[in-house]
Amino acid sequence: MPNHQLLNKPAPAEITLQNQDGVDVELSSFIGKQPAIVFFYPKDETLGCTKEVCSFRDAYDVFHEAGATVVGISADPVDKHKRFSLSNRLNFPLLSDVNGIARKAFHVQKNLFGLVPGRVTYLIDREGIVRDVFNSQLDFDGHVKRSIQFVKQQTAE
């Protein structure tokens, strides 16, 4: 998505959301400190979203070894994130954006005639600059593949 308004600009970091355990997470606690993968997905416990988050889970060692933080964000409430995280043995936080604050700050649009929350991944360098944006409602694996390429590039620099 080469023309996204955040590309090559600072990522929104002054946002606080609760994780699946109900703990407040400030995006500024990791954005601008290490490479970050921030991915927005439509809904817990749906086929495509489960495939996507499990792909991030399965590739987590690559991100961890590169010193990158991975977070998933959707509008689902904390308790639903907790069940989803436990049932899929996720090894990264899911953040609850029930009011759409992060989605708005990151300019995540709805897809499929404005009916489905967008599936967009932001690749943020250690200085907090958005270096790539991957937007695909249906290429679930593409989000992870692009993220792996990004962290490997960040490690090489």
Side-chain angles (χ1 to χ4, degrees):
M1 192 171 185
N3 58 354
H4 192 280
Q5 52 265 65
L6 287 180
L7 196 60
N8 296 316
K9 294 184 180 162
E14 300 307 316
I15 297 170
T16 302
L17 301 171
Q18 287 190 333
N19 69 11
Q20 69 269 20
D21 295 318
V23 176
D24 284 349
V25 175
E26 297 175 15
L27 299 190
S28 62
S29 69
F30 58 88
I31 290 178
K33 296 179 174 41
Q34 65 247 16
I37 312 302
V38 177
F39 71 96
F40 289 82
Y41 65 100
K43 192 165 184 54
D44 291 345
E45 300 171 5
T46 59
L47 181 65
C49 295
T50 300
K51 184 171 175 61
E52 181 183 14
V53 299
C54 289
S55 292
F56 273 108
R57 175 200 66 202
D58 295 345
Y60 187 76
D61 285 349
V62 174
F63 303 118
H64 182 72
E65 289 170 14
T69 297
V70 175
V71 297
I73 301 175
S74 83
D76 289 303
V78 169
D79 61 330
K80 194 167 182 195
H81 275 338
K82 180 74 169 182
R83 285 191 306 273
F84 188 53
S85 180
L86 288 172
S87 68
N88 291 290
R89 300 177 323 279
L90 301 183
N91 44 11
F92 56 86
L94 298 178
L95 304 181
S96 179
D97 188 26
V98 292
N99 296 320
I101 295 166
R103 195 168 281 276
K104 183 176 180 182
F106 277 84
H107 304 280
V108 180
Q109 303 296 315
K110 289 190 174 193
N111 292 321
L112 302 175
F113 307 107
L115 300 174
V116 178
R119 183 184 312 279
V120 184
T121 299
Y122 295 83
L123 307 173
I124 305 164
D125 70 13
R126 62 182 48 86
E127 284 77 41
I129 306 299
V130 176
R131 294 301 177 189
D132 196 3
V133 179
F134 187 76
N135 182 358
S136 176
Q137 200 68 22
L138 301 176
D139 185 1
F140 314 118
D141 293 330
H143 291 268
V144 177
K145 288 176 184 173
R146 184 79 69 89
S147 298
I148 290 170
Q149 290 170 347
F150 173 75
V151 296
K152 286 183 175 180
Q153 175 192 2
Q154 291 288 300
T155 304
E157 292 178 354

